[in-house]
Amino acid sequence: MRTESSVSLATLARVFLSLGAFAFGGPAAHIAMMEAEVVRKRRWLSSEAFLDLLGATHLIPGPNSTELAIHVGYAQRGWPGLCVAGLCFILPAFCIVLALAWGYVAYGALPEVAFILYGIKPVILAIVLQAIWNLAKSALKTPLLIVLALSVLILNGLGLSELLLLFGTGILTGVLYWLRQHRSPPSMPGLVASPWLLVASLGSGGVSGGTVSVGLWPLFFFFLKVGSVLFGSGYVLLAFLQADLVDRWGWLTSSQLLDAVVVGQVTPGPVFTTATFIGYLLAGVPGAAVATIAIFLPAFVFVAVSAPFLSQLRQAKVMGHFLDGVNAAAVSLMLGVSMTLAQTAVTDHVTWGLLIISSVLLIRYRMSSLWLILAGAFVGPGIHWIASFH
């Protein structure tokens, strides 16, 4: 999907460097911050175009929020924009994780981050909820899509595979559109039952020592494989890495792997920078660079191959309805993630207050999410400092 744009590469770089440096909270939060920046604030894309790009990222392997940044860059400035937006979104996280990996090796532990996250998580939740509301207004535009989105939310809560739900909803929406063109429209009871019948027909698909010296080429090819085939969240990444790095090859201990995933989760930017941490543990700075390049390289390739055809897909009516279904499912899955985040983000009166105040400042006064995240980062240590005097 290309649009004529006067956005400079320098502006693209500045926007995505800023997002990469402050995008805490995982893919749902990253997507929410991008929506606020490129749709509502800068109006680079319409909500509909943004949703199409978001839906496209769910249909290919790799980190969704990074692929969305790459898509936005391509939509604004073609191939140069694709490279600039993607690299600038990754770079801050790479530098931060590399510094933490150095400290981990030098001092044998991770620095304390719980107090900072205490104040950031409620702010992130408010940002995600605002984005879900804005995206839902564009994505859930028919009764059918609303029914499908609610069904996806329920089925995802029961443990059904995200990938199955995304593809299944898209296929079902396309099929129902085709049937309407050739037969009488289905009844409302049929609409309600159809997602569950689709699931039944497809199957559950549910998601139910010391460091060794490793060569750079084995490291490169392992993370290239991971980036090429991995769908899903950071927890799926954990299972993938555990099977090979710990159980099969013994490159890491389980404790080291868990620390690596924690770093990827709590630092801003893509969760896939877990690879940066692991690469440093196994082969120092060269290993960190090689692992990072390898795990993100497939995302650039997949977006570069698919992006030029996205507008043609939207113009084909059946494929347009397929994307409508995928977009509805994607918004529903974001809501599911936010419900999970809420369980750890809002735990007492202070975090409830942060959530409410952040929501008011975002919706009523349209305050920048970056400033709110910075404020939240100071609240947690501040509360801890005050409590230490009592």
Side-chain angles (χ1 to χ4, degrees):
M1 176 180 294
R2 281 296 313 281
T3 58
E4 293 298 323
S5 175
S6 59
V7 177
S8 68
L9 291 176
T11 300
L12 270 178
R14 185 171 64 253
V15 167
F16 282 99
L17 280 171
S18 177
L19 285 170
F22 293 97
F24 290 90
H30 305 168
I31 291 164
M33 293 177 69
M34 286 187 208
E35 187 272 340
E37 190 71 27
V38 307
V39 177
R40 286 182 281 121
K41 179 180 178 181
R42 299 181 182 273
R43 301 187 185 279
W44 289 352
L45 296 170
S46 66
S47 290
E48 292 77 11
F50 184 85
L51 275 167
D52 281 348
L53 298 183
L54 176 59
T57 67
H58 285 91
L59 301 179
I60 55 178
N64 293 342
S65 57
T66 305
E67 289 169 343
L68 185 58
I70 298 169
H71 265 300
V72 172
Y74 179 82
Q76 299 306 307
R77 289 300 302 271
W79 295 94
L82 177 149
C83 296
V84 167
L87 291 174
C88 288
F89 184 65
I90 295 166
L91 183 60
F94 170 78
C95 295
I96 294 169
V97 172
L98 184 62
L100 289 174
W102 173 85
Y104 181 82
V105 171
Y107 300 105
L110 294 172
E112 180 60 65
V113 295
F115 299 128
I116 296 176
L117 292 177
Y118 172 82
I120 287 179
K121 283 183 177 181
V123 178
I124 293 295
L125 180 60
I127 294 169
V128 172
L129 292 175
Q130 183 197 27
I132 291 171
W133 174 254
N134 291 324
L135 293 174
K137 288 187 290 185
S138 297
L140 308 183
K141 51 194 176 186
T142 68
L144 169 63
L145 292 173
I146 294 173
V147 169
L148 291 175
L150 291 173
S151 299
V152 167
L153 184 63
I154 295 170
L155 293 171
N156 184 240
L158 294 175
L160 206 69
S161 162
E162 295 176 358
L163 185 59
L164 175 63
L165 290 171
L166 286 163
F167 272 103
T169 307
I171 292 170
L172 181 60
T173 309
V175 168
L176 290 176
Y177 166 78
W178 185 88
L179 290 175
R180 283 200 301 269
Q181 302 306 304
H182 295 82
R183 303 177 184 177
S184 59
S187 63
M188 181 54 68
L191 293 183
V192 174
S194 54
W196 305 86
L197 294 176
L198 176 71
V199 168
S201 66
L202 291 176
S204 64
V207 179
S208 35
T211 305
V212 301
S213 177
V214 177
L216 294 180
W217 281 113
L219 198 62
F220 176 83
F221 285 117
F222 169 72
F223 280 108
L224 185 68
K225 179 190 75 172
V226 171
S228 298
V229 301
L230 186 64
F231 286 91
S233 69
Y235 300 107
V236 180
L237 176 65
L238 172 60
F240 224 87
L241 299 179
Q242 174 77 29
D244 284 336
L245 299 184
V246 178
D247 298 337
R248 183 193 291 181
W249 299 325
W251 289 1
L252 297 175
T253 66
S254 293
S255 176
Q256 288 171 324
L257 178 58
L258 285 173
D259 286 342
V261 173
V262 167
V263 168
Q265 294 279 355
V266 303
T267 50
V271 175
F272 272 32
T273 48
T274 294
T276 305
F277 192 92
I278 293 172
Y280 186 87
L281 295 187
L282 296 175
V285 174
V290 164
T292 305
I293 292 169
I295 200 169
F296 285 107
L297 182 59
F300 285 88
V301 174
F302 289 137
V303 172
V305 170
S306 63
F309 302 103
L310 191 57
S311 59
Q312 288 96 316
L313 290 177
R314 169 55 73 181
Q315 290 167 9
K317 289 187 177 180
V318 171
M319 289 304 300
H321 285 274
F322 172 82
L323 286 175
D324 286 341
V326 170
N327 291 340
V331 171
S332 188
L333 291 174
M334 282 185 66
L335 180 58
V337 170
S338 71
M339 293 166 65
T340 301
L341 178 61
Q343 296 174 13
T344 58
V346 184
T347 56
D348 54 28
H349 296 303
V350 174
T351 47
W352 268 111
L354 284 171
L355 174 63
I356 295 170
I357 293 170
S358 298
S359 299
V360 171
L361 292 175
L362 283 168
I363 297 171
R364 177 66 179 85
Y365 298 102
R366 299 184 181 276
M367 180 174 285
S368 168
S369 57
L370 300 183
W371 289 113
L372 289 173
I373 290 172
L374 283 174
F378 282 101
V379 167
I383 295 290
H384 174 69
W385 181 76
I386 293 172
S388 66
F389 287 95
H390 294 280

